[in-house]
Amino acid sequence: MYSKDWISRWAMYSPEKVAIEELETGRSITYAQLNRRANFLAEWMTKNLGLSKGDRVMVMAEHCIDYVTLFSIAQKTGIILVPVNYRLAASEIDYLIKDADPACLIVENKFADIAKALQVELPRMELEMLPEGESETFVPHAIHEDDPLFILYTSGSTGFPKGAMYSHKMLLWNSLNTTQSLEITADDHTVNCMPPFHTGGWNVLLTPMLHRGATVCLMKKFDADRVLEQIDKSNANLFMGVPTMLKMMAESAAFQSCSLASIRYFIVGGEALPLPVIHLWHERGVKIRQGYGLTEVGPNITSLHQEYAAQKIGSIGLPNFYVEYALLDDLGNQVPPGEVGEFCLKGPMVTPGYWKNPEATAQSIVHGFFHTGDLVRQDADGFLYIVDRKKCMFISGGENVYPAEVERVLRELEVIDEAAVVGVKDPKWGEVGKAYLSIKSGMTYTKDGIIAHCQSRLARFKVPRYLEIVNELPKNGSGKIDRKKLASLA
């Protein structure tokens, strides 16, 4: 059985190698220091807090050395980390607490006001107040490969978030796929500005780099100028971002002056990067590798080699080494070559299921295949292309937005009769929400009032940018709201 305590291994192999750097503070920690710190806190959390394998620890913090220490503790003890999106409204976080039932909440001090606004009671502590200390040893607890390491909440197509269980086995096989595809070694260095409440913030580059004994510089918040500056300063050779980030970096005043000579390539996820932006980066000597992934599987599932970035524009590339896939029709049959089918995935990087949600698990995982809801075709060379989303989800600035979740909040208002939300193109964020609403007869409203209600109940990126009032929403033959017609109108 493979070791589930990666940091202790690198503390033995490369004790003085820097594991994590913090850009804003200038702090850094070696693999040996990180391991000793994790040993000490693992002992303290299990003995003083009474935490044991399977207990959930919810964390509301930006990426930092202490957060990575908690990851190492989870590998050693079997506790489950539940990262919280600190951009959510307090009522949304209350729902996550009720669902995950964590043993405690660890909060970074800057988010203390959000924590105070929570209605659900549970033990809390400040991240900055974790006791100081190091220890040379800690006896790791027995952990099965299918035990969850994270519960990562995704916006729900039913209007409520679902907690995807991310297992120790998924972590390993995602790293094997990633490090093989991207050729990651212990000599590599990356700047990570993806937030810790996304699987991308942990599992696109951070944990695969830790698995290889490489070095990661953590940025708490994305800043285009500082990313470009730090890439040169640290000689980073890999960088992962979403299209919005790369567009902003290309528009930065530092874009032409920075060197970027150390970069092997940029990894882009979330959505396809427009060809003009690819050309901009190619002209600066930076190659682009696009890919596809999702919280429940991988997340690193496909990769488009940088040499095909322009030739196969729009493609998500080829499946990674240990990924099994099929393009299936509605009856579960493989579609003929060249035709469109639902992208279904199988392999050791697939989630065991959704936390306390067997119904959603059974709907998503059928005969061992995870049904992504994305409609895909394969060209004659084997390259995969997303044609459409079977689900209504759209992506705004790298964040998944499920219309059902926004519509549920809109329908809380008594004045609204029907509501439907679709994604529309936006030059900065890729897509933003547009809500089509019908108002109950004789009732008064203001658009500002509707937006204010959404802002009080939803994360900012979920709040519709546009509202359009209609007499009646279009329906299809079965009497359901015709979302395709709304999307074409938008």
Side-chain angles (χ1 to χ4, degrees), residues 205-441:
L205 281 179
L206 175 55
T207 55
M209 295 283 278
L210 293 175
H211 190 205
R212 291 301 186 198
T215 300
V216 179
C217 176
L218 295 177
M219 283 185 70
K220 292 182 181 296
K221 292 182 179 179
F222 171 75
D223 179 286
D225 293 346
R226 296 199 74 181
V227 168
L228 292 170
E229 175 188 329
Q230 185 62 25
I231 286 173
D232 282 353
K233 183 178 178 180
S234 62
N235 289 317
N237 46 18
L238 296 172
F239 175 76
M240 189 273 169
V242 298
T244 299
M245 292 178 181
L246 267 66
K247 291 176 190 175
M248 294 172 72
M249 290 163 66
E251 294 165 359
S252 164
F255 178 67
Q256 293 297 340
S257 60
C258 61
S259 167
L260 302 175
S262 61
I263 284 291
R264 190 153 74 241
Y265 35 72
F266 282 177
I267 300 100
V268 185
E271 56 185 307
L273 190 64
L275 186 57
V277 182
I278 292 175
H279 283 156
L280 272 177
W281 285 106
H282 281 186
E283 289 168 6
R284 286 291 286 110
V286 175
K287 296 179 178 181
I288 301 293
R289 286 192 72 139
Q290 300 196 79
Y292 169 95
L294 63 163
T295 301
E296 295 91 339
V297 188
N300 301 321
I301 294 301
T302 72
S303 184
L304 179 66
H305 194 276
Q306 62 269 22
E307 300 302 330
Y308 292 97
Q311 179 185 344
K312 295 289 186 179
I313 179 68
S315 172
I316 58 174
L318 302 171
N320 285 332
F321 200 88
Y322 296 105
V323 174
E324 184 179 348
Y325 73 98
L327 305 183
L328 304 179
D329 62 21
D330 289 339
L331 298 177
N333 300 313
Q334 180 79 40
V335 300
E339 293 194 10
V340 175
E342 184 179 5
F343 197 33
C344 299
L345 301 165
K346 182 186 286 189
M349 74 299 299
V350 174
T351 179
Y354 294 106
W355 176 256
K356 294 196 305 185
N357 198 335
E359 297 83 5
T361 300
Q363 290 171 4
S364 296
I365 304 175
V366 181
H367 302 306
F369 276 102
F370 185 92
H371 288 243
T372 68
D374 287 323
L375 301 178
V376 168
R377 68 173 175 84
Q378 190 167 27
D379 70 13
D381 299 319
F383 288 82
L384 300 162
Y385 294 77
I386 294 179
V387 176
D388 198 0
R389 297 189 185 99
K390 192 172 183 180
K391 301 173 183 176
C392 301
M393 181 267 290
F394 61 92
I395 300 174
S396 184
E399 300 272 11
N400 291 352
V401 181
Y402 279 87
E405 192 172 5
V406 184
E407 291 159 6
R408 173 178 59 81
V409 170
L410 285 165
R411 286 195 297 269
E412 292 174 352
L413 291 169
E414 188 179 359
V415 300
I416 292 177
D417 185 26
E418 290 184 311
V421 176
V422 297
V424 298
K425 296 295 183 184
D426 183 82
K428 181 175 183 180
W429 303 113
E431 292 177 292
V432 294
K434 181 172 183 178
Y436 288 88
L437 308 171
S438 63
I439 304 299
K440 291 179 181 177
S441 178

Side-chain angles (χ1 to χ4, degrees), residues 28-39:
S28 66
I29 191 168
T30 67
Y31 277 98
Q33 291 169 333
L34 180 58
N35 185 56
R36 291 196 298 266
R37 178 72 176 137
N39 285 343

Side-chain angles (χ1 to χ4, degrees), residues 47-81:
K47 289 189 175 180
N48 293 62
L49 300 184
L51 297 176
S52 59
K53 174 184 170 182
D55 285 339
R56 277 77 61 207
V57 175
M58 187 170 276
V59 187
M60 188 188 304
E62 292 176 328
H63 249 325
C64 59
I65 288 172
D66 298 313
Y67 214 154
V68 178
T69 304
L70 291 175
F71 161 78
S72 181
I73 293 167
Q75 281 199 314
K76 295 173 186 289
T77 65
I79 65 170
I80 304 169
L81 294 183

